[in-house]
Amino acid sequence: MIEVRNVTRFYGRVMAVDNVSFQVEKGEILGFLGPNAAGKTTTMRILTTYMPATSGTAKVAGFDVHEQSMQVKKRLGYLPENPPLYMEMRVVDYLDFVAKIKGVDPRERKKAVDETMGKVGIDTMRNRVIKTLSKGYKQRVGLAQALVHNPDVLILDEPTIGLDPKQIIEVRQLIKALAGSHTIILSTHILPEVSMTCERVVIINKGRVVAEDSPENLTRKMAGSQRMHLEIGGPAEPVTQTLSQVPGVLKVSATAGVKSLHLIVESDSESEIRPVLAKTIIDKGWQLYEMRPEGMSLEDVFLQLTTKEEAANQ
């Protein structure tokens, strides 16, 4: 449904996007993840026909974004970071206007507007002036304008930025509900957004794709070490020093709790250290309250990949 091949974009002599390639299958939600200034927004602008690539090709629903831009626009809905809202208009009038300029058949326009408002949960706000709405409802109106012509593809750029926790959860649920009937690219630098919403992730840093897979596979591939969480009753310094000397242990981090000590023990992936850790703790006369494996998070993967890239460029 979306195909990006070797896309590069220069601003003068500055390379913002460097030979980026990825694809998104029909009905899939792809997380496009990266730090600020990584090249996410530039890539989104190329896909939405806002600007051309310096080199490479991009297609949406089989149409070239540069050569067949009008065909792409008919099949594309775009929610930029700052939604293009006309604050003095009523919600229903604004969406009717958007449906008109997006070429929705006049005989179907009222139905399209009503169905879209229901889909994004703003039907009770239909007669409200947009400037009087909360930030969360304004974001929903922005999503409605991207959806009103029922596009095959949705591109959402930082869709939950500035929302409160309740609004964030609501927008995430709404995006997940749209998958299947729409192919979605979710561009963000907010890691929980990707973990909770997306089936697959592309991580971009300094204009280059540094990883592409499902969040689960990425965390599994990147985990070069095992991590165990332990809760122990014992003195911090002796416990840390003793466990650091266990064969296979790479690092021990300790945090003092109210009545116990919390530790993260990292070991090489080849070693099964749990029996040795437990025996060492008991032999020392310390209390072992808890021992459990701790998985690598998407945040760990993200930091590891972007830090590795920065170190390689120095």
Side-chain angles (χ1 to χ4, degrees):
M1 185 58 71
I2 300 172
E3 185 179 359
V4 179
R5 288 285 175 263
N6 307 117
V7 165
T8 297
R9 170 71 193 193
F10 281 92
Y11 292 105
R13 295 183 178 181
V14 177
M15 183 182 287
V17 176
D18 182 4
N19 202 38
V20 165
S21 297
F22 63 89
Q23 63 183 36
V24 192
E25 301 300 330
K26 185 176 181 179
E28 184 181 19
I29 305 180
L30 176 79
F32 198 56
L33 177 64
N36 289 324
K40 300 189 306 299
T41 297
T42 297
T43 305
M44 297 302 100
R45 287 175 175 172
I46 292 169
L47 282 173
T48 55
T49 77
Y50 178 80
M51 64 170 61
T54 305
S55 63
T57 61
K59 293 182 178 181
V60 173
F63 296 96
D64 186 278
V65 298
H66 181 60
E67 301 293 337
Q68 300 166 295
S69 60
M70 292 307 296
Q71 293 297 328
V72 170
K73 287 175 182 177
K74 289 178 182 179
R75 293 160 176 82
L76 185 70
Y78 180 40
L79 176 64
E81 186 174 341
N82 298 304
L85 305 179
Y86 292 160
M87 296 296 178
E88 303 299 326
M89 295 183 75
R90 295 188 310 155
V91 171
V92 65
D93 296 334
Y94 169 72
L95 291 177
D96 182 72
F97 167 71
V98 171
K100 182 177 180 180
I101 63 175
K102 290 190 174 184
V104 177
D105 188 318
R107 294 166 295 182
E108 300 294 326
R109 198 176 300 150
K110 183 180 183 303
K111 180 182 177 183
V113 169
D114 289 344
E115 287 182 353
T116 302
M117 287 193 294
K119 191 179 290 187
V120 303
I122 56 170
D123 40 352
T124 58
M125 301 288 159
R126 61 184 300 125
N127 292 315
R128 291 275 298 273
V129 176
I130 293 173
K131 71 178 180 181
T132 67
L133 299 177
S134 68
K135 171 73 173 175
Y137 274 112
K138 286 175 182 172
Q139 199 74 350
R140 286 171 181 257
V141 175
L143 188 54
Q145 66 78 29
L147 274 170
V148 72
H149 59 306
N150 194 30
D152 295 324
V153 174
L154 281 172
I155 294 181
L156 312 177
D157 194 357
E158 305 285 3
T160 62
I161 198 79
L163 302 185
D164 66 37
K166 182 175 183 294
Q167 293 166 341
I168 288 172
I169 292 169
E170 290 172 349
V171 171
R172 283 177 185 160
Q173 291 172 339
L174 178 56
I175 292 169
K176 289 192 76 170
L178 294 172
S181 54
H182 304 274
T183 302
I184 301 173
I185 293 183
L186 174 61
S187 174
T188 184
H189 68 280
I190 303 172
L191 294 160
E193 205 92 297
V194 175
S195 298
M196 298 180 185
T197 311
C198 302
E199 301 155 10
R200 198 161 54 85
V201 59
V202 169
I203 299 179
I204 186 172
N205 188 45
K206 296 187 180 299
R208 295 198 301 266
V209 172
V210 295
E212 179 180 356
D213 211 328
S214 68
E216 296 79 11
N217 285 343
L218 275 178
T219 55
R220 187 164 55 248
K221 288 176 183 177
M222 293 299 298
S225 62
Q226 301 182 76
R227 301 206 303 183
M228 301 293 301
H229 176 270
L230 285 79
E231 186 178 353
I232 297 172
E237 191 171 339
V239 168
T240 303
Q241 288 180 351
T242 300
L243 297 187
S244 297
Q245 295 169 7
V246 170
V249 170
L250 304 174
K251 182 181 177 182
V252 178
S253 305
T255 304
V258 178
K259 295 182 179 180
S260 60
L261 191 64
H262 296 268
L263 300 102
I264 299 295
V265 177
E266 295 186 28
S267 64
D268 63 66
S269 56
E270 303 300 321
S271 301
E272 175 51 81
I273 63 169
R274 283 176 290 186
V276 183
L277 286 175
K279 185 175 187 305
T280 301
I281 292 163
I282 292 167
D283 287 348
K284 288 289 185 179
W286 302 323
Q287 298 297 314
L288 178 57
Y289 299 120
E290 182 182 17
M291 180 188 294
R292 58 178 168 81
E294 185 173 271
M296 195 176 194
S297 68
L298 187 58
E299 182 174 354
D300 297 325
V301 172
F302 178 76
L303 290 172
Q304 188 170 326
L305 285 167
T306 54
T307 302
K308 187 184 296 183
E309 280 287 304
E310 289 169 5
N313 291 328
Q314 288 178 352

